[in-house]
Amino acid sequence: MDFSYSEKTQALRKQLTDFMDQHIVPRIGAWQQEVAAGVYPVSFMEDLKALARSEGLWNLFLPSLQEGEPGQGLSNLEYAPLAEIMGRVSWASEVFNCNAPDTGNMELLHMFATPEQREQWLNPLLEGQIRSAFAMTEPDVGSSDASNIQTLIRREGDEYVINGRKWFITNAAHPNCTFMIVMGKTDPDGDAKRQQSMVIVPMDTPGVIVERNIPVMNHIAPEGHCEIVLRNVRVPAANLLAKEGDGFMMAQARLGPGRVHHCMRSIGMAELALELMVERSQERKTFGRYLHQHGSVAEWIARSRMEIEQARLLVLKTAWMIDEVGARVARKEISMIKAVVPTMHLNVVDRAIQVFGAMGLTPDSPLADLWIGGRCLRFADGPDEVHLRSIARMELQESEAKRGHTAAYLTPPERS
């Protein structure tokens, strides 16, 4: 296993870091002011996107890009450290057309769309002309288990009729969100992994009702984490993605690389929190000593560094495995990073908040938003408990072939 960064990746890391430092970080305050004033998308976003594209920092995430399609065509391992850099600022990924859920939707369309679907939906996404959403989760069921989904997709002649309620649908409040990929059941009585299908639904279709943009920890994201009602929504049968019953399979294909993206952005947030913690500890005194001279704070700094490094290595291993053997073989590692990284993220940010004191709770630093991001990630793409259960199940399955081999290590006393 080789997780070292190639010369190409090193060059892109430097280029991306320079772009962030010169064009994005100086605009954090302006972004916050415009969003607070109700301006969204912000006035300078399109200019930044054009500049990023002119410098080749565009569609960095998609390994399967074809000749003529815009982007770098990086592997998952090559893209991972770039996602970490983007993660330092919540809205940075959009500048490079690397933002979720568009990235996952582009991957789905790239793998499964018909030529007509590619022309209508994928190409504008690759060009950054539109935005999109992915509608899977529902309020009334534990929808990390796709077999629980209640939204119904019923075939009527040349159309599908969709009824259901979705929530926490990211991007659905974005003015440029043109369509969503809806996951629902076309065969409620079929095999558990063949009940679900995915359908492309334009946002302006009659019956699509965006009920609210749900606040998360009392924080409202301008792009939206929306609750959406689908009431007798009719779309052409040609809007089906792949085949009926392929929804579960496509969701698994989508979530593997997406979890690497999420986790590396999360590591970028943790790195920023550690940098803030270290600088604050060198500038502030209590009881006559700088904070880093107190044993507890020095330990927080050390533990944070160790935890970040451990988490990054596991994510890079997972990215390498997806590239080498595919997401199916790497499914245990994909679950592990999804459970490990958000917890690490929260631990590091919590320590940084403690070092900052009350200021860490205010908008004067990014720490409160970094904490919210980490806490949300413990639910996104499935809660910790689901991933832990999956990891345990795989461990138990793998142990069956050599069950009993540990008996040789046991030395019980002889009994008469």
Side-chain angles (χ1 to χ4, degrees):
M1 298 181 186
D2 184 2
F3 312 146
S4 60
Y5 300 152
S6 67
E7 290 185 10
K8 181 179 181 180
T9 301
Q10 290 283 29
L12 284 169
R13 287 181 74 226
K14 183 181 187 309
Q15 186 182 1
L16 182 60
T17 299
D18 290 345
F19 192 102
M20 293 278 293
D21 291 344
Q22 294 169 20
H23 303 294
I24 292 181
V25 175
R27 287 180 168 86
I28 291 174
W31 189 91
Q32 293 172 338
Q33 290 170 7
E34 290 197 19
V35 169
V39 178
Y40 192 77
V42 293
S43 61
F44 48 84
M45 179 56 72
E46 291 304 316
D47 290 340
L48 287 178
K49 288 168 69 174
L51 180 60
R53 184 165 183 176
S54 72
E55 295 189 7
L57 297 172
W58 191 257
N59 290 343
L60 301 169
F61 65 94
L62 196 57
S64 56
L65 276 176
Q66 299 174 4
E67 186 176 351
E69 292 179 326
Q72 290 281 353
L74 301 179
S75 69
N76 287 286
L77 182 59
E78 289 173 324
Y79 176 66
L82 306 180
E84 177 179 337
I85 295 168
M86 294 179 210
R88 295 168 68 92
V89 178
S90 63
W91 49 271
S93 294
E94 182 177 358
V95 174
F96 311 101
N97 213 35
C98 293
N99 47 280
D102 291 339
T103 48
N105 287 347
M106 283 186 258
E107 286 183 307
L108 277 178
L109 292 169
H110 215 264
M111 288 187 285
F112 302 111
T114 64
E116 294 76 17
Q117 291 170 345
R118 292 172 71 97
E119 180 66 27
Q120 186 171 4
W121 308 113
L122 175 59
N123 291 345
L125 275 180
L126 290 172
E127 297 291 340
Q129 297 169 351
I130 62 174
R131 301 293 302 275
S132 65
F134 183 72
M136 177 177 171
T137 49
E138 300 180 358
D140 297 326
V141 296
S143 41
S144 58
D145 178 357
S147 65
N148 291 333
I149 288 175
Q150 296 179 329
T151 294
L152 292 178
I153 303 173
R154 188 179 72 256
R155 180 75 180 258
E156 285 191 5
D158 293 333
E159 294 181 318
Y160 283 105
V161 182
I162 308 168
N163 282 281
R165 183 181 294 267
K166 300 289 187 178
W167 75 342
F168 290 99
I169 307 308
T170 302
N171 248 15
H174 197 294
N176 299 336
C177 184
T178 304
F179 74 96
M180 56 183 166
I181 296 176
V182 176
M183 187 166 178
K185 288 188 176 180
T186 47
D187 183 11
D189 300 320
D191 179 86
K193 293 183 179 180
R194 296 291 303 169
Q195 297 176 359
Q196 307 83 12
S197 300
M198 292 188 188
V199 177
I200 299 169
V201 179
M203 292 298 292
D204 60 1
T205 306
V208 175
I209 304 165
V210 180
E211 290 213 325
R212 58 172 175 153
N213 182 1
I214 304 171
V216 177
M217 300 287 188
N218 294 329
H219 175 273
I220 296 180
E223 72 277 10
H225 300 301
C226 296
E227 182 173 2
I228 298 176
V229 173
L230 303 160
R231 186 170 295 145
N232 293 321
V233 173
R234 291 180 175 270
V235 298
N239 284 24
L240 178 71
L241 197 58
K243 299 177 182 178
E244 286 192 13
D246 283 346
F248 186 88
M249 175 273 293
M250 289 190 288
Q252 295 303 108
R254 182 185 192 277
L255 289 173
R259 284 171 181 152
V260 170
H261 303 174
H262 274 316
C263 288
M264 288 304 288
R265 284 191 293 264
S266 179
I267 289 170
M269 296 181 217
E271 277 284 3
L272 176 58
L274 177 55
E275 290 173 21
L276 289 164
M277 187 195 327
V278 169
E279 289 203 17
R280 181 74 164 177
S281 74
Q282 293 171 308
E283 295 169 350
R284 193 179 189 196
K285 284 184 175 182
T286 60
F287 305 106
R289 291 190 292 175
Y290 287 105
L291 291 178
H292 70 85
Q293 294 174 319
H294 294 280
S296 58
V297 175
E299 181 179 332
W300 293 345
I301 292 169
R303 289 194 179 279
S304 296
R305 171 50 62 206
M306 291 187 293
E307 291 166 9
I308 289 172
E309 295 299 322
Q310 290 169 339
R312 182 187 290 111
L313 284 172
L314 184 56
V315 180
L316 292 176
K317 175 192 175 185
T318 304
W320 178 86
M321 287 187 68
I322 293 174
D323 290 334
E324 295 294 321
V325 296
R328 180 173 179 78
V329 178
R331 63 191 186 277
K332 181 162 65 173
E333 283 74 15
I334 291 168
S335 285
M336 286 195 291
I337 63 173
K338 190 56 187 57
V340 165
V341 173
T343 300
M344 174 280 297
H345 176 151
L346 285 173
N347 286 340
V348 174
V349 176
D350 188 68
R351 293 167 188 146
I353 290 173
Q354 203 70 12
V355 169
F356 264 71
M359 181 183 172
L361 305 176
T362 73
D364 295 359
S365 88
L367 291 171
D369 285 341
L370 294 178
W371 189 90
I372 291 172
R375 191 61 187 85
C376 292
L377 196 56
R378 290 190 61 199
F379 288 109
D381 291 350
D384 293 356
E385 292 76 12
V386 169
H387 293 288
L388 294 171
R389 178 174 176 268
S390 296
I391 295 163
R393 186 170 62 245
M394 284 183 270
E395 283 290 308
L396 291 166
Q397 289 172 347
E398 291 169 10
S399 74
E400 282 299 312
K402 52 182 181 180
R403 190 173 180 181
H405 81 285
T406 59
Y409 293 86
L410 306 177
T411 55
E414 294 184 6
R415 301 187 184 277
S416 56

PDB file of all heavy atoms in Angstrom, residues 116-133:
ATOM      1  N   GLU A 116     -29.281  10.594 -23.422  1.00  0.00           N
ATOM      2  CA  GLU A 116     -30.187  11.750 -23.306  1.00  0.00           C
ATOM      3  C   GLU A 116     -30.112  12.366 -21.916  1.00  0.00           C
ATOM      4  O   GLU A 116     -30.121  13.604 -21.775  1.00  0.00           O
ATOM      5  CB  GLU A 116     -31.627  11.308 -23.613  1.00  0.00           C
ATOM      6  CG  GLU A 116     -31.878  10.869 -25.042  1.00  0.00           C
ATOM      7  CD  GLU A 116     -31.336   9.471 -25.349  1.00  0.00           C
ATOM      8  OE1 GLU A 116     -31.060   8.712 -24.388  1.00  0.00           O
ATOM      9  OE2 GLU A 116     -31.185   9.151 -26.553  1.00  0.00           O
ATOM     10  N   GLN A 117     -30.030  11.529 -20.888  1.00  0.00           N
ATOM     11  CA  GLN A 117     -29.910  12.050 -19.516  1.00  0.00           C
ATOM     12  C   GLN A 117     -28.582  12.766 -19.318  1.00  0.00           C
ATOM     13  O   GLN A 117     -28.518  13.797 -18.647  1.00  0.00           O
ATOM     14  CB  GLN A 117     -30.052  10.898 -18.513  1.00  0.00           C
ATOM     15  CG  GLN A 117     -31.443  10.309 -18.442  1.00  0.00           C
ATOM     16  CD  GLN A 117     -31.499   9.013 -17.635  1.00  0.00           C
ATOM     17  OE1 GLN A 117     -30.459   8.400 -17.349  1.00  0.00           O
ATOM     18  NE2 GLN A 117     -32.691   8.576 -17.291  1.00  0.00           N
ATOM     19  N   ARG A 118     -27.534  12.234 -19.904  1.00  0.00           N
ATOM     20  CA  ARG A 118     -26.228  12.895 -19.804  1.00  0.00           C
ATOM     21  C   ARG A 118     -26.286  14.281 -20.434  1.00  0.00           C
ATOM     22  O   ARG A 118     -25.773  15.252 -19.874  1.00  0.00           O
ATOM     23  CB  ARG A 118     -25.151  12.049 -20.490  1.00  0.00           C
ATOM     24  CG  ARG A 118     -24.835  10.735 -19.810  1.00  0.00           C
ATOM     25  CD  ARG A 118     -23.907   9.886 -20.672  1.00  0.00           C
ATOM     26  NE  ARG A 118     -22.566  10.461 -20.692  1.00  0.00           N
ATOM     27  CZ  ARG A 118     -21.561  10.076 -19.915  1.00  0.00           C
ATOM     28  NH1 ARG A 118     -21.733   9.104 -19.042  1.00  0.00           N
ATOM     29  NH2 ARG A 118     -20.376  10.650 -20.008  1.00  0.00           N
ATOM     30  N   GLU A 119     -26.895  14.374 -21.582  1.00  0.00           N
ATOM     31  CA  GLU A 119     -26.959  15.653 -22.281  1.00  0.00           C
ATOM     32  C   GLU A 119     -27.769  16.674 -21.487  1.00  0.00           C
ATOM     33  O   GLU A 119     -27.389  17.849 -21.387  1.00  0.00           O
ATOM     34  CB  GLU A 119     -27.585  15.447 -23.667  1.00  0.00           C
ATOM     35  CG  GLU A 119     -27.700  16.711 -24.497  1.00  0.00           C
ATOM     36  CD  GLU A 119     -26.353  17.284 -24.885  1.00  0.00           C
ATOM     37  OE1 GLU A 119     -25.367  16.510 -24.981  1.00  0.00           O
ATOM     38  OE2 GLU A 119     -26.280  18.513 -25.097  1.00  0.00           O
ATOM     39  N   GLN A 120     -28.881  16.229 -20.911  1.00  0.00           N
ATOM     40  CA  GLN A 120     -29.779  17.158 -20.238  1.00  0.00           C
ATOM     41  C   GLN A 120     -29.322  17.527 -18.835  1.00  0.00           C
ATOM     42  O   GLN A 120     -29.491  18.671 -18.406  1.00  0.00           O
ATOM     43  CB  GLN A 120     -31.193  16.571 -20.176  1.00  0.00           C
ATOM     44  CG  GLN A 120     -32.223  17.553 -19.621  1.00  0.00           C
ATOM     45  CD  GLN A 120     -33.645  17.044 -19.766  1.00  0.00           C
ATOM     46  OE1 GLN A 120     -33.879  15.910 -20.218  1.00  0.00           O
ATOM     47  NE2 GLN A 120     -34.619  17.853 -19.383  1.00  0.00           N
ATOM     48  N   TRP A 121     -28.733  16.561 -18.106  1.00  0.00           N
ATOM     49  CA  TRP A 121     -28.456  16.789 -16.693  1.00  0.00           C
ATOM     50  C   TRP A 121     -26.964  16.744 -16.341  1.00  0.00           C
ATOM     51  O   TRP A 121     -26.489  17.593 -15.593  1.00  0.00           O
ATOM     52  CB  TRP A 121     -29.201  15.751 -15.841  1.00  0.00           C
ATOM     53  CG  TRP A 121     -30.658  15.670 -16.155  1.00  0.00           C
ATOM     54  CD1 TRP A 121     -31.324  14.630 -16.731  1.00  0.00           C
ATOM     55  CD2 TRP A 121     -31.651  16.681 -15.926  1.00  0.00           C
ATOM     56  NE1 TRP A 121     -32.642  14.917 -16.881  1.00  0.00           N
ATOM     57  CE2 TRP A 121     -32.880  16.176 -16.390  1.00  0.00           C
ATOM     58  CE3 TRP A 121     -31.617  17.954 -15.370  1.00  0.00           C
ATOM     59  CZ2 TRP A 121     -34.070  16.881 -16.321  1.00  0.00           C
ATOM     60  CZ3 TRP A 121     -32.798  18.684 -15.301  1.00  0.00           C
ATOM     61  CH2 TRP A 121     -34.001  18.151 -15.772  1.00  0.00           C
ATOM     62  N   LEU A 122     -26.237  15.754 -16.860  1.00  0.00           N
ATOM     63  CA  LEU A 122     -24.839  15.610 -16.469  1.00  0.00           C
ATOM     64  C   LEU A 122     -23.972  16.729 -17.035  1.00  0.00           C
ATOM     65  O   LEU A 122     -23.176  17.332 -16.303  1.00  0.00           O
ATOM     66  CB  LEU A 122     -24.292  14.251 -16.916  1.00  0.00           C
ATOM     67  CG  LEU A 122     -22.785  14.022 -16.676  1.00  0.00           C
ATOM     68  CD1 LEU A 122     -22.439  14.157 -15.197  1.00  0.00           C
ATOM     69  CD2 LEU A 122     -22.349  12.660 -17.210  1.00  0.00           C
ATOM     70  N   ASN A 123     -24.092  17.001 -18.311  1.00  0.00           N
ATOM     71  CA  ASN A 123     -23.217  18.002 -18.926  1.00  0.00           C
ATOM     72  C   ASN A 123     -23.339  19.376 -18.276  1.00  0.00           C
ATOM     73  O   ASN A 123     -22.316  20.014 -17.981  1.00  0.00           O
ATOM     74  CB  ASN A 123     -23.466  18.071 -20.430  1.00  0.00           C
ATOM     75  CG  ASN A 123     -23.003  16.809 -21.153  1.00  0.00           C
ATOM     76  OD1 ASN A 123     -22.259  16.006 -20.596  1.00  0.00           O
ATOM     77  ND2 ASN A 123     -23.444  16.621 -22.384  1.00  0.00           N
ATOM     78  N   PRO A 124     -24.560  19.871 -18.008  1.00  0.00           N
ATOM     79  CA  PRO A 124     -24.648  21.160 -17.300  1.00  0.00           C
ATOM     80  C   PRO A 124     -24.044  21.126 -15.896  1.00  0.00           C
ATOM     81  O   PRO A 124     -23.497  22.130 -15.427  1.00  0.00           O
ATOM     82  CB  PRO A 124     -26.157  21.429 -17.250  1.00  0.00           C
ATOM     83  CG  PRO A 124     -26.730  20.646 -18.382  1.00  0.00           C
ATOM     84  CD  PRO A 124     -25.885  19.419 -18.475  1.00  0.00           C
ATOM     85  N   LEU A 125     -24.130  19.953 -15.217  1.00  0.00           N
ATOM     86  CA  LEU A 125     -23.486  19.831 -13.903  1.00  0.00           C
ATOM     87  C   LEU A 125     -21.974  19.914 -14.026  1.00  0.00           C
ATOM     88  O   LEU A 125     -21.304  20.597 -13.246  1.00  0.00           O
ATOM     89  CB  LEU A 125     -23.875  18.513 -13.231  1.00  0.00           C
ATOM     90  CG  LEU A 125     -25.169  18.451 -12.428  1.00  0.00           C
ATOM     91  CD1 LEU A 125     -25.365  17.047 -11.860  1.00  0.00           C
ATOM     92  CD2 LEU A 125     -25.191  19.477 -11.297  1.00  0.00           C
ATOM     93  N   LEU A 126     -21.419  19.193 -14.995  1.00  0.00           N
ATOM     94  CA  LEU A 126     -19.977  19.226 -15.197  1.00  0.00           C
ATOM     95  C   LEU A 126     -19.490  20.620 -15.548  1.00  0.00           C
ATOM     96  O   LEU A 126     -18.371  21.010 -15.205  1.00  0.00           O
ATOM     97  CB  LEU A 126     -19.581  18.248 -16.313  1.00  0.00           C
ATOM     98  CG  LEU A 126     -19.698  16.752 -15.996  1.00  0.00           C
ATOM     99  CD1 LEU A 126     -19.467  15.928 -17.254  1.00  0.00           C
ATOM    100  CD2 LEU A 126     -18.720  16.336 -14.903  1.00  0.00           C
ATOM    101  N   GLU A 127     -20.327  21.389 -16.217  1.00  0.00           N
ATOM    102  CA  GLU A 127     -19.964  22.754 -16.600  1.00  0.00           C
ATOM    103  C   GLU A 127     -20.202  23.752 -15.459  1.00  0.00           C
ATOM    104  O   GLU A 127     -19.813  24.913 -15.572  1.00  0.00           O
ATOM    105  CB  GLU A 127     -20.764  23.185 -17.833  1.00  0.00           C
ATOM    106  CG  GLU A 127     -20.495  22.368 -19.082  1.00  0.00           C
ATOM    107  CD  GLU A 127     -19.105  22.596 -19.643  1.00  0.00           C
ATOM    108  OE1 GLU A 127     -18.505  23.646 -19.309  1.00  0.00           O
ATOM    109  OE2 GLU A 127     -18.611  21.735 -20.394  1.00  0.00           O
ATOM    110  N   GLY A 128     -20.860  23.300 -14.375  1.00  0.00           N
ATOM    111  CA  GLY A 128     -21.146  24.206 -13.264  1.00  0.00           C
ATOM    112  C   GLY A 128     -22.273  25.169 -13.544  1.00  0.00           C
ATOM    113  O   GLY A 128     -22.416  26.189 -12.867  1.00  0.00           O
ATOM    114  N   GLN A 129     -23.130  24.844 -14.518  1.00  0.00           N
ATOM    115  CA  GLN A 129     -24.205  25.746 -14.893  1.00  0.00           C
ATOM    116  C   GLN A 129     -25.429  25.596 -14.003  1.00  0.00           C
ATOM    117  O   GLN A 129     -26.233  26.527 -13.888  1.00  0.00           O
ATOM    118  CB  GLN A 129     -24.597  25.490 -16.356  1.00  0.00           C
ATOM    119  CG  GLN A 129     -23.483  25.776 -17.353  1.00  0.00           C
ATOM    120  CD  GLN A 129     -23.797  25.261 -18.740  1.00  0.00           C
ATOM    121  OE1 GLN A 129     -24.780  24.538 -18.941  1.00  0.00           O
ATOM    122  NE2 GLN A 129     -22.966  25.622 -19.709  1.00  0.00           N
ATOM    123  N   ILE A 130     -25.594  24.419 -13.407  1.00  0.00           N
ATOM    124  CA  ILE A 130     -26.743  24.143 -12.556  1.00  0.00           C
ATOM    125  C   ILE A 130     -26.271  23.463 -11.282  1.00  0.00           C
ATOM    126  O   ILE A 130     -25.116  23.049 -11.164  1.00  0.00           O
ATOM    127  CB  ILE A 130     -27.786  23.253 -13.266  1.00  0.00           C
ATOM    128  CG1 ILE A 130     -27.177  21.884 -13.624  1.00  0.00           C
ATOM    129  CG2 ILE A 130     -28.333  23.951 -14.510  1.00  0.00           C
ATOM    130  CD1 ILE A 130     -28.178  20.891 -14.205  1.00  0.00           C
ATOM    131  N   ARG A 131     -27.180  23.328 -10.320  1.00  0.00           N
ATOM    132  CA  ARG A 131     -26.942  22.565  -9.103  1.00  0.00           C
ATOM    133  C   ARG A 131     -27.999  21.472  -9.005  1.00  0.00           C
ATOM    134  O   ARG A 131     -28.991  21.468  -9.757  1.00  0.00           O
ATOM    135  CB  ARG A 131     -27.004  23.468  -7.859  1.00  0.00           C
ATOM    136  CG  ARG A 131     -25.998  24.605  -7.851  1.00  0.00           C
ATOM    137  CD  ARG A 131     -24.568  24.128  -7.730  1.00  0.00           C
ATOM    138  NE  ARG A 131     -24.357  23.344  -6.529  1.00  0.00           N
ATOM    139  CZ  ARG A 131     -24.073  23.873  -5.320  1.00  0.00           C
ATOM    140  NH1 ARG A 131     -23.965  25.172  -5.184  1.00  0.00           N
ATOM    141  NH2 ARG A 131     -23.869  23.089  -4.285  1.00  0.00           N
ATOM    142  N   SER A 132     -27.827  20.547  -8.063  1.00  0.00           N
ATOM    143  CA  SER A 132     -28.741  19.411  -7.960  1.00  0.00           C
ATOM    144  C   SER A 132     -28.877  18.974  -6.512  1.00  0.00           C
ATOM    145  O   SER A 132     -28.153  19.444  -5.626  1.00  0.00           O
ATOM    146  CB  SER A 132     -28.224  18.245  -8.818  1.00  0.00           C
ATOM    147  OG  SER A 132     -26.983  17.769  -8.307  1.00  0.00           O
ATOM    148  N   ALA A 133     -29.810  18.043  -6.271  1.00  0.00           N
ATOM    149  CA  ALA A 133     -30.035  17.501  -4.932  1.00  0.00           C
ATOM    150  C   ALA A 133     -30.208  15.992  -5.038  1.00  0.00           C
ATOM    151  O   ALA A 133     -30.467  15.457  -6.126  1.00  0.00           O
ATOM    152  CB  ALA A 133     -31.280  18.130  -4.300  1.00  0.00           C
TER     153      ALA A 133
END
